[in-house]
Amino acid sequence: MLVLENHDQPKPYDAVRGGQLPPPVGGVVLGGLAGVKHRLSSSVSEHRIAALRETLNYGDAGLKIVIKICQSETGPVQRAACDLLRQRLNSIAPEKLQAFVAASVDAKAEVDSTQKILERSSAVVSEKNYDRELSEAQLIFETIMQQIQPNLLLLEALVVSVEREEFTSPLMNLWELLILEIQEPLKELRQAVGSAISAQLRIQWLYNQAESQVNQSQQRALLALEKEDENSVSLALVRKQVQFDRAAELKIDLHEQTVRVETLNRNLLALESKIAQANSKKEILKMQLHFAKVQEQIDFTFSQVNNIFFSP
């Protein structure tokens, strides 16, 4: 079972227990991530940089803060944030690569992850098939997104903090591994969105059918009225009301399902955009490294030629 960590609770590395008064911005205080955030709001760069060094002690929540600072700020605080990210990435790389090798050995023993998610989703029950299918698709999507969130954060950290000078072999391997590990879950996410769209199309068809039946009952009522057949008129109007109520219910469901499907699709597109951005920057950095090595070889060759022909 996943136990959520409360990052606002005191940690062993928080130095001093705070009182009831607001802590000093430049002080070292107990207060968990909230205390670190308070110190990051200082106008003094030195205080913010000191707080940054503690931020990564708070897992993904702290990593998000450092990434945001590296993305959105300039100057010494941004440089410190990017340096911290690169240090963390370099420390993670060997452990992550070793874990991947070990996991690959046991990969055949794994059961299909989508099936496992659905087995855990017995609480998702609905009389409406389309609603149940969409709920299952949402559950799969949300569960997989939670699973890959750590990898996404590391990818984002690589994108914002690594330039050619810092693009070492371990970071290159880590970058490629993270993208590789996301590919299979990404397929499942696309399948989940596809299932959600299918459910939406099904309810759209049901709504269209209900609207058509309302119109047919209306026509029957008008024909019966022309024939002055009161019984047929009454029967046609009753059927029309029943079908109208059904169509109205389906219209509400269709609107709700459309919003849910659009949200899923929007989140999938945002994820694919992040992965594409990470892939693009990785390839650019690899190309820059290649050309830098070629340039070094050219410079060395010219240096040798100069030494041969122009040395005294």
Side-chain angles (χ1 to χ4, degrees), residues 235 238 288:
L235 182 59
V238 169
Q288 288 176 343

Side-chain angles (χ1 to χ4, degrees), residues 32-266:
L33 189 58
V36 174
K37 287 179 180 178
H38 176 77
R39 291 158 59 204
L40 285 170
S41 66
S42 170
S43 59
V44 181
S45 295
E46 289 78 7
H47 294 168
R48 300 185 68 205
I49 292 171
L52 268 177
R53 297 192 184 103
E54 297 178 27
T55 306
L56 291 179
N57 291 327
Y58 295 92
D60 289 351
L63 184 59
K64 288 178 183 178
I65 293 173
V66 182
I67 288 173
K68 184 176 180 181
I69 291 174
C70 191
Q71 281 177 319
S72 59
E73 299 200 20
T74 57
V77 177
Q78 183 206 33
R79 290 194 293 274
C82 290
D83 287 343
L84 276 174
L85 287 179
R86 285 192 293 271
Q87 291 170 20
R88 174 55 60 91
L89 291 166
N90 275 305
S91 67
I92 287 173
E95 179 182 349
K96 184 78 174 171
L97 292 167
Q98 289 175 4
F100 176 75
V101 172
S104 299
V105 174
D106 300 328
K108 293 183 180 179
E110 284 294 315
V111 181
D112 179 72
S113 59
T114 301
Q115 185 60 38
K116 289 193 292 183
I117 293 168
L118 291 178
E119 287 171 0
R120 294 197 298 269
S121 68
S122 56
V124 181
V125 178
S126 172
E127 295 179 357
K128 303 172 182 176
N129 286 335
Y130 55 78
D131 186 63
R132 177 181 56 79
E133 290 171 9
L134 185 50
S135 296
E136 287 178 350
Q138 279 187 296
L139 178 64
I140 291 170
F141 194 98
E142 291 166 5
T143 304
I144 293 175
M145 284 298 295
Q146 289 177 0
Q147 291 172 351
I148 67 174
Q149 188 61 28
N151 280 358
L152 288 177
L153 279 174
L154 293 178
L155 258 184
E156 194 171 3
L158 283 162
V159 170
V160 301
S161 67
V162 176
E163 300 299 334
R164 192 189 78 185
E165 293 75 14
E166 297 88 15
F167 194 44
T168 59
S169 178
L171 289 185
M172 184 188 301
N173 292 335
L174 174 62
W175 204 318
E176 292 176 346
L177 173 60
L178 292 174
I179 292 175
L180 177 65
E181 286 188 334
I182 289 173
Q183 292 308 307
E184 192 60 34
L186 183 59
K187 292 179 184 177
E188 294 189 56
L189 291 175
R190 289 174 178 145
Q191 290 171 357
V193 173
S195 297
I197 292 173
S198 295
Q200 180 195 12
L201 292 175
R202 191 171 298 110
I203 187 176
Q204 178 72 63
W205 182 84
L206 290 172
Y207 172 68
N208 292 342
Q209 289 291 103
E211 282 279 279
S212 175
Q213 289 171 357
V214 169
N215 293 332
Q216 289 173 12
S217 294
Q218 175 70 16
Q219 292 299 321
R220 290 192 188 101
L222 291 174
L223 288 172
L225 188 61
E226 289 177 2
K227 296 177 181 179
E228 298 182 353
D229 185 347
E230 293 183 3
N231 289 334
S232 296
V233 170
S234 297
L235 182 59
L237 289 176
V238 169
R239 286 178 177 171
K240 175 188 173 184
Q241 186 60 49
V242 171
Q243 290 158 353
F244 179 84
D245 292 342
R246 173 60 174 160
E249 180 185 355
L250 285 168
K251 185 175 183 180
I252 294 172
D253 287 349
L254 177 59
H255 174 72
E256 291 176 352
Q257 310 294 40
T258 300
V259 171
R260 293 164 70 185
V261 169
E262 286 177 350
T263 301
L264 283 176
N265 199 44
R266 185 164 55 248

